[in-house]
Amino acid sequence: MWYVVYRGVGSRADLEKMLLQAGVTYFLPMHCVERLNAAGTEMVLVEEVAIQNLVFVQCDQIEPIIRRVDGLRAPLLDTMTGEPAQIADVEMEMFMRLLQTARDQVKLLHDPITKFVHHPRVRVKAGLFEGVVGYVVRILRDRKLVISLGNMALAISGIHRSLLEPIES
């Protein structure tokens, strides 16, 4: 089982070191952005944390991990139960795969997945996202596929409607 945990203010390297020392399996989504170099003369690619203040941790119980690792603050809570939000291994594997292959097309939403269940439910029938099931939602005048990540939602852009097939509810 995976949990989403708020991380503290320290550096990414310090947090990763503490998690490794504690023997914790974690996922910290990263992405590359262009920044000016220190001299301010040219643009360089810099790797940054893609989802600020969050880290994904794999364990049976999250509370002992939070007590052991100084860089972790508190788990993200499930809005329905008030308990730490859990993400199934299958959903987390898909999320990691999506970020590795199409990072620019995936965005973590702040709304729970339950907000989107009244939209049309579809399955991607071909291409990079084949087999992914979600809801077609218009966000900022663009149609996106919204999928579940535990109680959270991910929006995937750039999937042509010809690749989507409706699923009967």
Side-chain angles (χ1 to χ4, degrees):
M1 193 62 59
W2 288 82
Y3 294 89
V4 183
V5 182
Y6 292 103
R7 63 188 198 100
V9 180
S11 75
R12 179 190 95 213
D14 289 343
L15 175 64
E16 289 181 315
K17 183 179 176 183
M18 287 185 273
L19 289 166
L20 286 172
Q21 286 175 345
V24 175
T25 302
Y26 68 94
F27 177 64
L28 193 58
M30 305 297 289
H31 69 135
C32 289
V33 294
E34 282 189 299
R35 299 258 187 250
L36 278 173
N37 65 0
T41 57
E42 64 180 293
M43 296 298 282
V44 294
L45 282 177
V46 178
E47 191 174 51
E48 288 185 349
V49 177
I51 304 171
Q52 293 298 320
N53 303 322
L54 295 180
V55 62
F56 296 84
V57 176
Q58 185 180 34
C59 59
D60 294 328
Q61 292 185 347
I62 193 61
E63 289 80 11
I65 302 297
I66 291 174
R67 285 193 296 270
R68 250 186 8 222
V69 179
D70 285 339
L72 300 178
R73 295 294 167 241
L76 183 73
L77 298 180
D78 185 323
T79 56
M80 304 295 271
T81 65
E83 297 292 318
Q86 298 179 350
I87 301 172
D89 291 338
V90 172
E91 287 180 334
M92 195 64 196
E93 287 171 19
M94 182 184 58
F95 173 56
M96 291 187 286
R97 188 186 84 211
L98 288 173
L99 287 183
Q100 288 171 350
T101 56
R103 183 177 314 249
D104 296 338
Q105 291 176 260
V106 179
K107 180 174 175 47
L108 185 65
L109 301 176
H110 296 288
D111 299 309
I113 191 66
T114 53
K115 177 180 178 179
F116 304 102
V117 296
H118 65 280
H119 291 275
R121 191 163 180 235
V122 297
R123 177 183 296 112
V124 180
K125 59 184 177 180
L128 183 61
F129 304 109
E130 184 175 0
V132 173
V133 174
Y135 304 94
V136 176
V137 178
R138 187 169 289 282
I139 300 173
L140 298 174
R141 292 193 272 161
D142 186 19
R143 203 174 24 240
K144 301 195 185 301
L145 179 66
V146 175
I147 62 171
S148 168
L149 181 64
N151 191 35
M152 298 180 300
L154 288 176
I156 305 171
S157 61
I159 302 175
H160 195 271
R161 65 178 160 211
S162 67
L163 297 176
L164 303 175
E165 62 184 2
I167 297 176
E168 298 299 322
S169 298

